[in-house]
Amino acid sequence: MLGWFGMTHPSLNAQYAYAGEAESPDGKAHVIDVKNADGFAARLFIDEKTQLPLMVTYQGPQPRMVLAGGPRPASGGAQASPQAQLRQAPPQQMSEEERKKFAADAEKQIREMEKQPPAMVEYTLFFDDWREEDGIKFPHALRRASAGTTTEEWTVSKVTVNPKIDPKKFETEG
């Protein structure tokens, strides 16, 4: 919501404070710090020329991945990577013994991860290709990055403002 509408949901009780100006080769942006008493903290960057949101940054736990399964020899006797092992023999094609080892390896990794707090990384949501739809500007290109690496990209092809919705869609059978 912060990037789309320049504000959070009212239930968040966020406080906004001007944090200064950021400069990049593409131009300048107003920087707004957004915080609440529950520990939520983000930074909103607003383009000084267009007054539209450019990006939102915040800290969050880095996703954790569990790779299970013991090393299996690849062709020529070399050890295959865990990803290659899964491609070679997905769990449904493993023997019962291999499936049990696979599950035990995953459980062991999960227990080890639970002992340590997750690493915190910076998340960034970028908003671009702002176009007017029914008199309102919306971003039509969005990108999410985690620790500087793009993890998601969205392209919005159509925005409908206040579409007519048939109330029968919300009726329950009874």
Side-chain angles (χ1 to χ4, degrees):
M1 279 186 71
L2 193 54
W4 276 74
F5 306 113
M7 61 181 290
T8 63
H9 191 275
S11 66
L12 195 57
N13 294 319
Q15 302 296 312
Y16 303 84
Y18 185 74
E21 183 180 86
E23 193 168 342
S24 77
D26 296 330
K28 294 181 181 181
H30 297 291
V31 182
I32 310 296
D33 282 338
V34 184
K35 297 178 182 180
N36 80 353
D38 294 330
F40 171 80
R43 213 164 229 196
L44 172 63
F45 294 78
I46 300 172
D47 186 289
E48 284 189 358
K49 288 182 183 174
T50 66
Q51 299 302 305
L52 294 170
L54 291 170
M55 69 181 185
V56 172
T57 62
Y58 62 95
Q59 294 286 314
Q62 183 175 25
R64 296 176 174 185
M65 293 182 60
V66 174
L67 298 173
R72 294 193 185 93
S75 58
Q79 295 295 315
S81 70
Q83 292 85 352
Q85 293 170 29
L86 291 175
R87 283 193 298 273
Q88 290 171 5
Q92 65 271 20
Q93 295 176 359
M94 293 178 181
S95 70
E96 186 63 29
E97 185 178 315
E98 287 174 317
R99 268 196 296 277
K100 286 180 181 176
K101 180 168 180 2
F102 187 91
D105 288 348
E107 280 296 319
K108 181 180 175 185
Q109 287 183 47
I110 290 168
R111 282 192 304 276
E112 288 299 315
M113 281 190 236
E114 287 174 340
K115 292 178 184 176
Q116 302 169 4
M120 300 299 281
V121 295
E122 183 172 80
Y123 288 89
T124 307
L125 295 167
F126 297 93
F127 302 90
D128 200 11
D129 191 17
W130 287 85
R131 288 187 252 149
E132 200 167 296
E133 304 280 352
D134 290 331
I136 303 170
K137 288 192 177 190
F138 289 95
H140 285 70
L142 298 99
R143 185 169 55 97
R144 182 175 187 227
S146 168
T149 301
T150 297
T151 56
E152 298 175 58
E153 290 186 34
W154 306 315
T155 301
V156 178
S157 57
K158 181 180 178 183
V159 174
T160 304
V161 178
N162 296 324
K164 299 276 188 248
I165 300 174
D166 184 355
K168 291 180 183 176
K169 283 189 170 191
F170 300 98
E171 290 179 1
T172 58
E173 294 180 26

